[in-house]
């Protein structure tokens, strides 16, 4: 896909996750997701690639709310939402190519505002390493459908507890554009090795 439907744009969760439902019907077995996010882990730097190991869902509406689709159980287990084998493969490729990868928990929020210093502090203390306005709904639906998922967040800005920094959409786009080739290199190699 080029882009996605964001909840903050006014789309419903059904609309946000509809492309994943289509992918499932087309027989897609593995989903790669990426996003730009604010880093809350003090060990992170702007431009880092964070492999998503887990997520925290702070969206006000759950993507599986309503009648259960027959693609999965009513109450899906969420223990390995991000596939461990795919994460290990990415780590191996990054090490071979000398690309810095960090790991962390992605916290998904509604948006469209960037976080206040108090929100960054709260989200980090709750266990988040990065925060963003996408990804979680699509991943939940993919997991419900039995689609293996691998996710990367590009750390485009930092919201550290003791160092509040103003952020603009333009700065986020610049950081994302600079890191994207490295992310693409890892994902392309993962795809090549799966064939």
């Amino acid at each position: 896909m080029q882009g996605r439907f964001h909840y903050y744009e006014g789309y419903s969760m059904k609309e946000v996750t509809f492309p994943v439902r289509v992918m499932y019907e087309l027989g897609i077995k593995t989903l790669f997701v990426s996003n730009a996010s604010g880093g809350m882990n003090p060990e992170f730097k702007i431009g880092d690639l964070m492999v998503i190991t887990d997520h925290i869902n702070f969206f006000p509406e759950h993507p599986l709310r309503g009648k259960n689709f027959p693609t999965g159980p009513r109450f899906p287990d969420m223990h390995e939402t991000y596939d461990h084998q795919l994460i290990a493969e990415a780590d191996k490729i990054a090490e071979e190519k000398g690309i810095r990868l960090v790991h962390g928990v992605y916290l998904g929020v509604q948006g469209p505002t960037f976080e206040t210093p108090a929100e960054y502090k709260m989200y980090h203390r709750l266990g988040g390493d990065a925060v963003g306005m996408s990804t979680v709904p699509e991943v939940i639906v993919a997991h419900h459908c039995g689609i293996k998922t691998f996710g990367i967040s590009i750390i485009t800005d930092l919201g550290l507890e003791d160092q509040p920094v103003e952020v603009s959409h333009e700065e986020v786009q610049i950081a994302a554009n600079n890191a994207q080739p490295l992310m693409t290199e890892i994902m392309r190699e993962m795809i090549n090795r799966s064939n």
Side-chain angles (χ1 to χ4, degrees):
M1 288 176 48
Q2 289 188 314
R4 54 163 46 106
F5 302 107
H6 291 94
Y7 189 74
Y8 66 75
E9 294 175 295
Y11 294 104
S12 70
M13 276 297 174
K14 284 195 175 18
E15 291 169 318
V16 168
T17 59
F18 180 72
V20 178
R21 298 280 183 203
V22 172
M23 289 178 200
Y24 169 79
E25 294 297 333
L26 292 172
I28 299 298
K29 303 287 185 216
T30 305
L31 176 67
F32 285 24
V33 293
S34 65
N35 60 59
S37 62
M40 301 178 291
N41 186 319
E43 296 178 18
F44 290 178
K45 300 179 218 161
I46 290 176
D48 271 348
L49 298 175
M50 183 192 88
V51 173
I52 303 172
T53 56
D54 203 349
H55 71 235
I56 299 172
N57 182 11
F58 256 72
F59 282 88
E61 182 186 348
H62 198 282
L64 299 181
R65 181 176 177 265
K67 186 179 177 191
N68 187 47
F69 279 80
T71 56
R74 172 76 278 189
F75 303 105
D77 178 85
M78 299 296 286
H79 275 92
E80 193 180 335
T81 311
Y82 300 85
D83 188 82
H84 293 174
Q85 276 188 294
L86 293 172
I87 291 171
E89 187 68 32
D91 286 339
K92 182 179 173 190
I93 291 165
E95 187 176 350
E96 288 171 10
K97 294 182 176 288
I99 298 171
R100 174 178 155 90
L101 273 190
V102 295
H103 286 201
V105 174
Y106 178 85
L107 192 142
V109 296
Q110 169 179 301
T113 56
F114 291 114
E115 289 65 41
T116 67
E119 288 169 336
Y120 273 128
K121 182 186 281 191
M122 176 186 73
Y123 293 152
H124 184 241
R125 290 185 179 188
L126 288 174
D129 294 295
V131 59
M133 306 170 201
S134 66
T135 304
V136 171
E138 297 101 310
V139 168
I140 289 171
V141 168
H143 191 69
H144 183 254
C145 291
I147 297 172
K148 292 191 301 183
T149 303
F150 173 76
I152 288 186
S153 295
I154 298 174
I155 305 301
T156 54
D157 58 281
L158 296 172
L160 307 179
E161 284 195 25
D162 300 321
Q163 303 167 28
V165 178
E166 287 187 33
V167 62
S168 72
H169 184 61
E170 291 73 24
E171 290 170 319
V172 166
Q173 285 183 312
I174 290 167
N177 290 340
N178 289 340
Q180 190 169 356
L182 296 175
M183 179 189 69
T184 303
E185 189 174 352
I186 291 169
M187 289 184 170
R188 183 178 291 124
E189 188 61 26
M190 290 173 74
I191 292 165
N192 287 341
R193 293 184 188 190
S194 70
N195 293 333

